[in-house]
Amino acid sequence: MSLNEIQKLSQNKLSFTKKKYTVIIGANPSKTARSPILWNYFFEKTNQNIEMIPIDTKKEHVKQILSLLSKDKNFIGGCVTVPLKEVVFKELFKKKSIDKITKKIGAVNCLYRENDRIIGTNTDGEAALKVFQKKFGNIFNKKCLVLGYGGVGKAIAAFFNSKLKTKVLVSNRTGISKKIIKKNNIEFIKWKEITSILPKMNIIINCTSLGFDKNKQTPIDKKKIKLVKDNTYFFDAIYNPLETNFLKLAKLKSKNYINGLEMNKLQAILAIKKVLKNKISSAKVHKVLTNF
């Protein structure tokens, strides 16, 4: 069984009691990820003989883990979390195992099986856009700034970019190559120059890890928030905690703000459908997870 071999590459103890299994691969999903609880709740409520197993690992083990999973018929798919979304993308891209839209994003958050192959896709961007539009409506004429261009930032920027009249502006603490900027049709602004464009923005989205879990930092501080227009739309992709310091500052300027909880739930709904090969409708998955 592949799990016996994967255990050697994992930092947490793995256990598998059902007929089939899914995984979540990341640095510490066994401690902080919401997906195992959500997915296993769904599998239990729909009487699926499946479970999700978190795998805490390092990037140097990703290639071997993916190879082992692809050989195990009991493995049917799962998800990928920070900081391995881009690492998994690179490994699957080499094997031409990435779906069309995800090639542009450059990060994978969902895995599903096609015969002996593992295919990588991304449901983060679609989920974020749908949740945002459901709450705030059409974004066509809005100017959007995405803070952070890791796995989540790339996905959200790509989907929001597809709906906007003007290019999404992206800022990243470590910079972005000109090749990526051109390929993804975005406009890049240096982190230290954010101040100059804040007054022009209608939507500000935090896709950095600043504010996650016990981190109390925020990508926009008290001084910068004063530059933002009233009634700007704020979106924090973080859901733990539900109210980050970024959102606390946002509340000083606007009534239009949202955290990442619903996005997290919807990306899971989309991912579960993929993994189960669309045998269960989105409506069914959503109904089961409504009160989660």
Side-chain angles (χ1 to χ4, degrees), residues 110-236:
C110 174
L111 306 170
Y112 62 95
R113 178 180 285 280
E114 279 190 359
N115 300 318
D116 293 330
R117 298 173 67 212
I118 295 176
I119 307 298
T121 187
N122 195 304
T123 61
D124 280 333
E126 182 181 357
L129 181 61
K130 285 184 175 180
V131 167
F132 190 91
Q133 289 187 308
K134 181 179 179 181
K135 186 172 179 66
F136 301 123
N138 197 336
I139 65 170
F140 178 70
N141 287 312
K142 304 288 191 294
K143 292 183 178 179
C144 177
L145 171 64
V146 173
L147 300 170
Y149 203 61
V152 174
K154 287 178 178 176
I156 289 180
F159 274 83
F160 272 69
N161 217 15
S162 69
K163 296 294 181 180
L164 291 169
K165 184 178 180 180
T166 57
K167 292 180 182 180
V168 164
L169 275 76
V170 172
S171 190
N172 197 54
R173 288 173 286 174
T174 56
I176 305 173
S177 73
K178 290 182 179 180
K179 183 178 179 181
I180 290 175
I181 293 169
K182 184 177 181 180
K183 177 182 176 182
N184 292 283
N185 194 35
I186 57 174
E187 186 176 338
F188 177 69
I189 183 162
K190 293 180 180 178
W191 193 260
K192 62 182 179 181
E193 295 174 0
I194 291 174
T195 304
S196 65
I197 53 97
L198 285 178
K200 304 173 185 177
M201 295 298 104
N202 305 115
I203 303 170
I204 301 175
I205 306 175
N206 176 37
C207 295
T208 73
S209 59
L210 298 176
F212 176 70
D213 198 19
K214 296 178 181 179
N215 185 311
K216 301 300 181 183
Q217 294 177 284
T218 173
I220 297 179
D221 58 26
K222 290 181 179 180
K223 185 177 180 180
K224 290 188 178 72
I225 203 72
K226 293 177 181 179
L227 301 172
V228 179
K229 290 186 293 190
D230 291 342
N231 299 318
T232 291
Y233 296 88
F234 292 89
F235 186 3
D236 198 331

Side-chain angles (χ1 to χ4, degrees), residues 267-281:
Q267 66 81 18
I269 289 171
L270 296 170
I272 287 170
K273 271 197 68 184
K274 279 279 189 184
V275 170
L276 296 181
K277 302 185 182 300
N278 294 317
K279 292 178 181 178
I280 296 180
S281 68

Side-chain angles (χ1 to χ4, degrees), residues 12-27:
N12 63 306
K13 186 173 182 179
L14 309 180
S15 62
F16 168 38
T17 60
K18 304 293 185 180
K19 183 178 179 180
K20 302 287 184 180
Y21 70 94
T22 61
V23 301
I24 175 170
I25 305 172

Side-chain angles (χ1 to χ4, degrees), residues 43-91:
F43 292 144
E44 180 182 349
K45 292 297 181 181
T46 54
N47 298 311
Q48 306 277 337
N49 195 10
I50 309 169
E51 65 183 305
M52 173 168 272
I53 303 166
I55 298 176
D56 301 341
T57 193
K58 298 179 179 180
K59 63 181 182 180
E60 56 262 34
H61 298 319
V62 166
K63 181 178 180 179
Q64 192 175 350
I65 287 174
L66 291 175
S67 177
L68 289 167
L69 289 173
S70 68
K71 296 174 184 177
D72 192 340
K73 299 296 184 181
N74 291 318
F75 169 72
I76 62 170
C79 47
V80 183
T81 187
V82 292
L84 300 179
K85 294 183 180 186
E86 292 159 297
V87 178
V88 171
F89 172 85
K90 289 177 182 178
E91 290 300 330

Side-chain angles (χ1 to χ4, degrees), residues 35 109 123-124 127 262-272:
S35 293
N109 81 318
T123 61
D124 280 333
E262 285 305 308
M263 168 194 158
N264 179 262
K265 184 187 291 187
L266 183 54
Q267 66 81 18
I269 289 171
L270 296 170
I272 287 170

